[in-house]
Amino acid sequence: MINLKYPFSIAFVLFIVFGVSVCGASAAPSSVLYPGNDTQTELIIFAAASMTETLQEIAALYAKTEPNVKLTINFDSSGTLKTQIQEGAECDLFISAGQRQMDQLDITAPDTVNTEKLDFVVAESRINLLENRVTLVVPKGNPKNINNFNDMSSALSSAKILMAMGNSDVPVGQYTQRILAYYKLDEKAIAASGCLSYGSNVKEVTTQVSEASVDCGVIYCTDAFSAKLEIVDYATTEMCGRVTYPAAVLKTSENPNAARAFLDYLTSDEAMVVFESVGFSKP
C-alpha cells in the first residue's frame, strides 16, 4: 500500500511502472523517452541496438543543452528499424550499424542495394557517424579455451563448440557471415550440425555469451565493453570490412531542422567523448 503521507510516492511508483513497461525484459530496450519541458519539439530517433548505452547517456546530456527538445529513441537491429521506417513508422533520424540498411532507404544508392527504389533519406544530411570493431568474445572463464578466430574456426569445423551470431538481416550477423566466408566455413552446414545460435540483434548475442549459454560469440567491441565480456580477438578489415555507422535525417521527418541539429551534436567533442569511452571511434 502506498503511504499517502509522502506525496512523491505515487509519482515514484508510476515512474517505475512506466519504466518497466517501456524497457521490458529484453536485452535492448525498444524505446526510451527523454522528456524536456511542456512546450517542446519531439524528435524520434531510430538507432542500432549496439548504441543503447552510449546514446542514452548522450541523450541525457542533450536534454540539458536543449531542454525544448524531447528525444524518443527506438533501439533495435538496423534491419528491423529499416523495415519499420519502410512501413511508415514515424522517424526523424536513423542511425544504422551498417551501410546496407541505410542504402536500402536511400534513392541515391545503387539499384543493386536499393532494389525497391525507396526514397527516405535526405542525401545531403547523410554522414558516417562512427566506426566500431567486430570482436570474438567468450563467457567468464573461457571454458572451451577459444583464444582467437583461428581457434573458433577450427572448433566450428570439428563441431566442438556452440557459437552465437546475429541473424543474416542484421549488420553484426552480416559481418559474422563474412568472417565465416573468410575461413571458408559453410554457415548452413555448421548451423545444421547444431553449432550456431542466432540472435535478432547484437544485444541478444551478447546476452547469450554473458549467460554462458554458448561457448563464444561475435559482437561489437562496444557491446563487449558494456557487458564486461572478455575479448579474445578482433576481426581485421580483411576479414569483414570496416564497421561504419551511417546516420541521416529522413524525408518523412516533421522536424528536419531539429533532427539535423541533434545529428550535428552527435559529432561534437562532448558526444564523441561518450562514444569513444566504450570503443567507438570517428570514421
Side-chain angles (χ1 to χ4, degrees):
M1 180 177 294
I2 298 172
N3 187 344
L4 296 180
K5 291 174 61 179
Y6 299 95
F8 64 84
S9 299
I10 295 176
F12 179 78
V13 171
L14 289 176
F15 173 79
I16 294 298
V17 172
F18 176 76
V20 171
S21 67
V22 169
C23 295
S26 62
S30 60
S31 181
V32 180
L33 182 69
Y34 295 87
N37 58 39
D38 292 334
T39 57
Q40 57 194 205
T41 298
E42 181 180 13
L43 286 181
I44 301 174
I45 316 298
F46 278 25
S50 52
M51 301 182 71
T52 301
E53 294 82 7
T54 49
L55 203 54
Q56 285 176 336
E57 185 175 345
I58 289 170
L61 292 173
Y62 195 68
K64 297 176 182 179
T65 302
E66 295 291 343
N68 293 328
V69 176
K70 178 173 68 175
L71 299 178
T72 301
I73 307 178
N74 182 27
F75 296 103
D76 212 318
S77 73
S78 300
T80 296
L81 296 175
K82 173 262 175 185
T83 298
Q84 291 174 354
I85 292 169
Q86 181 180 351
E87 292 178 348
E90 291 184 35
C91 177
D92 297 291
L93 178 67
F94 178 36
I95 311 174
S96 171
Q99 297 290 348
R100 178 180 175 184
Q101 288 73 21
M102 186 69 76
D103 285 343
Q104 289 173 335
L105 297 172
D106 190 346
I107 195 64
T108 67
D111 292 344
T112 52
V113 182
N114 188 355
T115 56
E116 299 177 79
K117 300 187 184 304
L118 300 177
D119 188 12
F120 285 86
V121 172
V122 178
E124 59 269 24
S125 75
R126 181 173 173 173
I127 62 171
N128 286 332
L129 177 63
L130 299 166
E131 188 163 331
N132 209 337
R133 297 185 69 183
V134 173
T135 66
L136 180 65
V137 293
V138 295
K140 185 177 181 179
N142 193 6
K144 289 298 179 72
N145 197 31
I146 303 297
N147 296 307
N148 49 53
F149 279 108
N150 290 336
D151 288 347
M152 175 211 74
S153 173
S154 177
L156 286 175
S157 297
S158 55
K160 292 181 178 179
I161 61 169
L162 176 61
M163 185 183 84
M165 64 177 285
N167 292 338
S168 61
D169 64 334
V170 302
V172 73
Q174 292 157 6
Y175 291 123
T176 308
Q177 288 179 321
R178 294 176 193 173
I179 294 171
L180 294 177
Y182 174 83
Y183 281 101
K184 297 181 173 55
L185 296 172
D186 185 334
E187 180 187 351
K188 290 183 179 180
I190 295 171
S193 70
C195 291
L196 291 179
S197 175
Y198 291 90
S200 63
N201 58 50
V202 70
K203 293 299 183 185
E204 288 189 6
V205 178
T206 302
T207 297
Q208 291 183 51
V209 181
S210 295
E211 294 179 349
S213 59
V214 295
D215 301 308
C216 63
V218 179
I219 62 174
Y220 303 119
C221 72
T222 51
D223 294 283
F225 179 90
S226 298
K228 296 180 173 57
L229 284 171
E230 180 185 357
I231 297 174
V232 294
D233 204 358
Y234 290 85
T236 64
T237 302
E238 182 183 6
M239 292 166 66
C240 68
R242 292 181 64 196
V243 184
T244 53
Y245 284 49
V249 177
L250 299 187
K251 291 183 177 181
T252 53
S253 172
E254 295 184 1
N255 299 289
N257 292 334
R260 185 57 186 263
F262 181 62
L263 179 55
D264 288 342
Y265 177 77
L266 292 178
T267 67
S268 69
D269 290 342
E270 185 173 53
M272 279 297 165
V273 166
V274 178
F275 283 132
E276 291 172 353
S277 69
V278 299
F280 282 115
S281 61
K282 293 181 180 180

